[in-house]
C-alpha cells in the first residue's frame, strides 16, 4: 500500500470558549502525495484554516482542541508529536503562507534577517556565507532585488510583502506548503502574479501544496485535486477534472458553481445559495447542508449521509448512495 505524504483521518477540532463550544472541524479526512497540489474550497467558517493550523499544531492554546482523529505526516503522528519534533517540522518540512501579509512579518526585523532566521533554525551547519547566498537566491526567485534585503516590511507594498512571505516559506525547500488564502488581501492585478509565482516555485522544489481559497477558478488552474468543505466536513472530493466537469456534484458544490459568473450566458442575476451555514455551536443531527438543499428529504434532516465513492470521486449525499458507500 502506497504511503501518502499527509493523511488526515476523521479529524475533529473544537474551540472551547466562555460562551459555547464551537465545533469547527467534524470528521474531516484528506490525503496528499508528494508534489501534489490540493485545493480546499468552501465558505467562511467551513473549517479550512482550522484544518491547516491543526496540521502544524498552531491552534490557540487552551482554546483550540483536537478531540478525535489523526494527522500523519511522512509517518509522524502530528497530534502525538512533542514540541521539539514540531519545531523541527515547522518551517523545514511543513510551512505556511498566511492570509494577511501585513501581519505575518516582524516589523522590527529586516526582511533579510527574517529569511536568514529560518536557515539558522533549521540548517545550523550552513556557513554564514552560504546562508547569505541562499537569502539572495530566494529573494531573486520571488522577484525582489537582493539589495533590498536590509529594508523593513513597512517599506514594501502588499504584493511584495506576500512575496517575502513566500520566500520565507520556501527557503528551506519544504515538502509541504500550506497556503491559506494567500491572495485575499491583494488586488486582482497582483493576485495572478502571486499564484503564478507559487506554482512555479512549487514545481521547482517538487513541494506538495494545500491551497485554501474561495475561488474555484484558482483551484481549476493551479491544483490537481479539490476538496469541497462544508461545516467542517469534506462533502465532495476528487480530481479537478472529475469535480469541474459537473456531471455529478454535491448540491452544495452545484450551488458554488451557479454562483460564478458565466461569460457565455446572458443572465440578469447569479443564483445564490439560500440561507446560512449551520451554527457550529449547535450542529444539526442529519446532513449539515439539509436546510439549504433543494433536494432535502426528511431522511436528510435525521441521518447524516456517508461519503459515497465512484472511482476516485466521492460525494457525501444520499443522492449517490446507489454507488455504494464507505
Amino acid at each position: 500500500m502506497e504511503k501518502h505524504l499527509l493523511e488526515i483521518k476523521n479529524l475533529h477540532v473544537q474551540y472551547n470558549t466562555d460562551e459555547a463550544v464551537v465545533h469547527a472541524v467534524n470528521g474531516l479526512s484528506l490525503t496528499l502525495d508528494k508534489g501534489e497540489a490540493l485545493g480546499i474550497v468552501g465558505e467562511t467558517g467551513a473549517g479550512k484554516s482550522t484544518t491547516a493550523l491543526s496540521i502544524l499544531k498552531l491552534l490557540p492554546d487552551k482554546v483550540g482542541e483536537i478531540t478525535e482523529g489523526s494527522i500523519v505526516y511522512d509517518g509522524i503522528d502530528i497530534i502525538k508529536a512533542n514540541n521539539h519534533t514540531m519545531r523541527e517540522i515547522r518551517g523545514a518540512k511543513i510551512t505556511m503562507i498566511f492570509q494577511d501579509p501585513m501581519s505575518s512579518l516582524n516589523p522590527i526585523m529586516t526582511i533579510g534577517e527574517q529569511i536568514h532566521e529560518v536557515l539558522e533554525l533549521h540548517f545550523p551547519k550552513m556557513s554564514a556565507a552560504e546562508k547569505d547566498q541562499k537569502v539572495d537566491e530566494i529573494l531573486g526567485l520571488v522577484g525582489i532585488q537582493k539589495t533590498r534585503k536590509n529594508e523593513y516590511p513597512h517599506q514594501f507594498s502588499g504584493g511584495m510583502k506576500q512575496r517575502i512571505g513566500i520566500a520565507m516559506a520556501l527557503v528551506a525547500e519544504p515538502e509541504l506548503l500550506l497556503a491559506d488564502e494567500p491572495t485575499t488581501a491583494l488586488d486582482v492585478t497582483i493576485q495572478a502574479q502571486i499564484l503564478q509565482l507559487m506554482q512555479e516555485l512549487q514545481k521547482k522544489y517538487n513541494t506538495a501544496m494545500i491551497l485554501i481559497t474561495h475561488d474555484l477558478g484558482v483551484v481549476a488552474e493551479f491544483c490537481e485535486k479539490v476538496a469541497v468543505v462544508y461545516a467542517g466536513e469534506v462533502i465532495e472530493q476528487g480530481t479537478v477534472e472529475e469535480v469541474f466537469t459537473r456531471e455529478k456534484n454535491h448540491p452544495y458544490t452545484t450551488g458554488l458553481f451557479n454562483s460564478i459568473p458565466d461569460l457565455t450566458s446572458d443572465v440578469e442575476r447569479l443564483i445564490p445559495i439560500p440561507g446560512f451555514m449551520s451554527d457550529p455551536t449547535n450542529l444539526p443531527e442529519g446532513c449539515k447542508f439539509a436546510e439549504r438543499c433543494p433536494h432535502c428529504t426528511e431522511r436528510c434532516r435525521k441521518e447524516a449521509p456517508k461519503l459515497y465513492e465512484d472511482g476516485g470521486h466521492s460525494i457525501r449525499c444520499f443522492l449517490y448512495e446507489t454507488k455504494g458507500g464507505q
Side-chain angles (χ1 to χ4, degrees), residues 271-290:
I271 306 172
I273 302 172
F276 299 95
M277 190 177 293
S278 303
D279 180 357
T281 65
N282 185 27
L283 293 170
E285 180 182 1
C287 175
K288 296 175 178 61
F289 187 62

Side-chain angles (χ1 to χ4, degrees), residues 119-156:
L119 298 173
E120 288 178 350
L121 287 170
H122 298 292
F123 301 97
K125 295 182 179 179
M126 186 181 288
S127 69
E130 288 174 323
K131 291 172 185 172
D132 287 339
Q133 183 180 354
K134 189 70 173 176
V135 170
D136 293 346
E137 178 187 333
I138 197 69
L139 284 174
L141 287 174
V142 299
I144 297 177
Q145 294 179 338
K146 63 181 181 181
T147 54
R148 300 195 66 184
K149 66 181 177 182
N150 294 321
E151 296 181 15
Y152 292 86
H154 73 271
Q155 295 174 275
F156 295 84

